[in-house]
Amino acid sequence: MKKLTKLKTKPNLQESRLRENLELLDQIRTDAVNDIESLTQDFQHMTLVTESVQRNYRALLAENQLLKGALLSIIDECACWEGNRCDRCCKILKILASDNSEEKPDAASKYRSILSQLRNLE
């Protein structure tokens, strides 16, 4: 039988660097895939939260519309008439007209402020 001898050769630096680079690239790609999967889960969660907020907001708007309708029907059923409303109907009309601006912030300016803050984050 023949004896096999192992020859000691100098390590090829170029080849070892290439192998290290390939391993590093594989690790980076694996990390990127994991990050994308994590982002996907985050986006799915955000979508569920957004849909929930939309449902709640729609329900709130519907309830608000019902309340406005009820207030208007109170005015319609009152014995007073347009141009000569009683105190209660005047209060209801004032509330419906949102005439208490000192209590409520300007919604449009608040919305613009939020949008500008979000744009500055980008």
Side-chain angles (χ1 to χ4, degrees):
M1 288 201 153
K2 296 182 184 177
K3 286 188 178 180
L4 294 176
T5 59
K6 290 187 178 179
L7 298 175
K8 289 188 178 180
T9 60
K10 288 185 178 180
N12 186 344
L13 291 178
Q14 190 176 18
E15 183 181 335
S16 63
R17 283 187 196 147
L18 177 66
R19 289 180 185 271
E20 288 174 6
N21 285 344
L22 290 175
E23 288 175 13
L24 185 61
L25 286 172
D26 284 343
Q27 289 174 354
I28 291 171
R29 288 180 180 131
T30 301
D31 288 344
V33 167
N34 290 335
D35 290 344
I36 291 171
E37 289 173 354
S38 177
L39 275 173
T40 300
Q41 291 172 355
D42 290 345
F43 285 135
Q44 288 171 343
H45 177 71
M46 288 172 56
T47 300
L48 291 174
V49 169
T50 304
E51 289 171 351
S52 174
V53 168
Q54 284 177 335
R55 277 192 307 274
N56 292 339
Y57 189 67
R58 282 188 188 114
L60 180 66
L61 289 177
E63 187 175 303
N64 191 15
Q65 197 63 31
L66 286 173
L67 290 172
K68 284 181 181 180
L71 289 173
L72 287 173
S73 70
I74 289 172
I75 293 172
D76 290 340
E77 293 171 3
C78 186
C80 66
W81 60 90
E82 189 175 337
N84 189 21
R85 295 287 181 196
C86 65
D87 289 341
R88 183 183 66 166
C89 290
C90 285
K91 286 179 186 177
I92 291 172
L93 288 171
K94 187 175 181 181
I95 290 170
L96 288 174
S98 298
D99 203 15
N100 46 1
S101 59
E102 65 275 353
E103 295 177 15
K104 294 182 181 180
D106 182 22
S109 66
K110 190 173 182 179
Y111 177 74
R112 281 190 291 270
S113 170
I114 292 171
L115 276 180
S116 66
Q117 289 174 4
L118 287 173
R119 288 181 182 137
N120 289 336
L121 290 176
E122 294 175 355

